Amino acid sequence: MELYLYLALFSPLAGSLFAALFGASPKTIVAGVVPSVLLFVSFVSSTILLLHILSGGDAVHVEMMTWMATGNLYIPFGFVVDQVSVTMMMVVTIVSTIVHVYSIGYMDHDKGFNRFFSYLSAFVFSMMVLVMSDNFAGLFIGWEGVGLCSWLLIGFWYEKESATWAANEAFIMNRIADLGMLIGIFLVYWNTGTLQYDKAFAEMQHLDTAILAWMGIFLFIGAMGKSAQFPLHTWLADAMEGPTPVSALIHAATMVTAGVYLVVRANPLYDLIPHVGLFIASLGAFVALFAASMALVNRDMKRIIAYSTLSQLGYMFVAAGLGAYWVALFHLMAHAFFKALLFLGAGNVMHAMHNELDPFKMGGLRKVMKGTFIMMTLASVALAGIYPLAGFWSKDLILEVAMIEHHYIIYSVLLFTAGLTAFYSFRLVALVFHGEERYKLFGVHPHEAYKFMLIAMSPLLILAIIAGAFKMTYFEMVTQVLPATEYHIHSALTYWIMTIGTQLFVILAIAYAYKKYQVAKEDPAMEKRLCYKILINQYYIPYFYEEYLVKPYRELSTIFWKQVDMKIVDATVDGIAKTIYATGEKTREMQSGNLSTMLKWMVAGTVGLLSLAVVFGLAARYSDEIKVFLSGLGV
């Protein structure tokens, strides 16, 4: 099985390096095809490893080589394929392979075609390192690799100032969070003496609760940045400046899911600090509602889907914070399929509409984009949690967990958010695919995407429909390493009332969205309302950051630049340089080649040396007297 582990891990890296060979060349189709084939090899290898685990085989654990060995510190390049990591491997490789194939068509006319596939495969490789490492240090390498690749991909169209700004925002905000995570990793090593998962978690059983709480808090700060939890959330919507396949990959299979994976992987730690877990769950419930509310009024198709991701991440953190780690991972998996499908469908619409993102300028596209219409509609049904699609089985299970654990406020927030999710999802579907063909007013002639792109998307559609059917198989597998808590409403009547009530609530929200937006009319009065202004401006949080954090920091930096750096540091360095230069200019006269001048300098030098010798000799001879004299002066 070790061979399949290496194939799963390093095939994306090989694809990235291959595409990089053509980085500066004009578009070369093999730069897209070969990385896609290698991603498929990684998927097949991951599938074989999954079948091995499902058949009762032991976890596959390899140590390639020693990375660090000094004193008591030992960190190998070690990788493990167990029930948790193989789940993530399957999600990453399935979605990534589809995104790679889709991108061959999507990036067809882009001059950075070759470079794009190099970055994209490197992104996947970094995520595979993150989920397959058997220690916190290896996880951190993949963690930072994902951050670097996200910067490259979000800012892929670097000619656009907005793209470079968004890339820098994502990179810097994640570096702030990663400092917290690094402190958490240091605390783990300082208190357990190891960074290996199994050994560190075993040692944590004997540590003080306060120390464990600080470990959990700092590790979660890293997860907050990567999974864009409040208040480190603003980069996620701005990251939509990158190509749409990048958005699909970031939101479905890489990066933002890494934070949830970290909490799930560190479940033995969070089981020991349930109060920290409750904070995580409470924050997750807040973010779920917070993000859904912003999606209600947004007029950017990709940002609406991005806020949806942020909201669903809140659901995942609720489950993880309440100790239902397998439920969180199940929703992560189900969400990946329909969210990737939504983003790729949005990419089709963007191409058809010449990169237009405002759904109010679309309408009636179902007539010319039937395939994309069907896929995005079914993906929205799954996202809304309608029976029997995947979202129903995973999202409703999180609601059950909150109810069973008696966290009724969290349950109520999540239930209300489910209705908002259905509303904004079908608001988007109604505006884009139904009603009048408003795009004709702008002289646009939309068309369906390439057939092979639709074919590439079809596995995501199938999985978005049937993934819930594998719930029990998944449960039996993953609970071999995660707490095997089953969540069932004690009363069958209560369960059916909850389930039917939730479904009716969601369906009513969908019906209201269709009724309201079937005919898309601009409402000037709406834009003047305070609630609308708050939501469209993201609760003024980006404004707050800009006015009270970024601008003061910029002004302070300007002061230090002009008053300290230029007038003190630069002036000192420049002064030393000028002095040395001026001295050199003066002493150049010594090398004039004139014999008389050189003899004069020789005599002057000899007199100087003799004078120094006399001074030092007298000082040594009369040292005691000099000391008495100086002491008399009080020196």
Side-chain angles (χ1 to χ4, degrees), residues 2 5-6 61-66 74-80 134-135 196 199:
E2 289 186 20
L5 184 150
Y6 290 131
H61 192 184
V62 299
E63 289 189 6
M64 289 178 57
M65 63 187 78
T66 298
Y74 173 71
I75 304 175
F77 277 115
F79 301 96
V80 63
D134 69 348
N135 61 81
Q196 300 292 117
K199 296 178 182 177

Side-chain angles (χ1 to χ4, degrees), residues 553-569:
Y553 181 79
R554 187 187 296 122
E555 291 172 4
L556 184 64
S557 299
T558 301
I559 292 171
F560 274 96
W561 166 47
K562 291 183 176 179
Q563 304 301 325
V564 178
D565 193 36
M566 293 184 69
K567 292 186 177 180
I568 298 177
V569 178

Side-chain angles (χ1 to χ4, degrees), residues 39-59:
L39 252 296
F40 184 73
V41 170
S42 181
F43 161 67
V44 172
S45 300
S46 299
T47 304
I48 293 172
L49 290 166
L50 172 66
L51 294 174
H52 168 74
I53 296 293
L54 284 173
S55 64
D58 294 331

Side-chain angles (χ1 to χ4, degrees), residues 295 304-313 315-316 331 334-339 341-342 375-387 389-392 394-396 417-426 428-429 464-465 503 506 510:
I304 293 169
I305 303 173
Y307 286 131
S308 167
T309 298
L310 184 54
S311 182
Q312 296 307 304
L313 286 167
Y315 275 87
M316 296 174 207
H331 190 48
H335 170 264
F337 302 138
F338 52 74
K339 185 51 57 69
L341 187 60
L342 275 172
M375 289 185 176
M376 288 193 70
T377 301
L378 288 174
S380 298
V381 171
L383 173 61
I386 299 294
Y387 177 88
L389 274 69
F392 167 81
S394 58
K395 186 192 288 186
D396 276 30
T417 303
L420 297 184
T421 302
F423 177 81
Y424 68 68
S425 297
F426 283 89
L428 180 62
V429 172
I465 295 171
Q503 294 287 289
V506 167
I510 293 172

Side-chain angles (χ1 to χ4, degrees), residues 50 73 173 183 213 228 255 340 345 356 364 423 432 452 454 600-601 617:
L50 172 66
L73 177 64
M173 195 163 285
I183 294 172
M255 191 136 178
E356 178 58 62
F423 177 81
V432 173
F452 82 87
L454 296 176
K600 289 177 184 178
W601 281 110

Side-chain angles (χ1 to χ4, degrees), residues 483-506:
T485 309
E486 291 195 60
Y487 297 93
H488 298 295
I489 303 298
H490 300 301
S491 166
L493 179 61
T494 305
Y495 171 79
W496 284 110
I497 290 174
M498 281 177 52
T499 302
I500 295 172
T502 302
Q503 294 287 289
L504 287 174
F505 182 52
V506 167

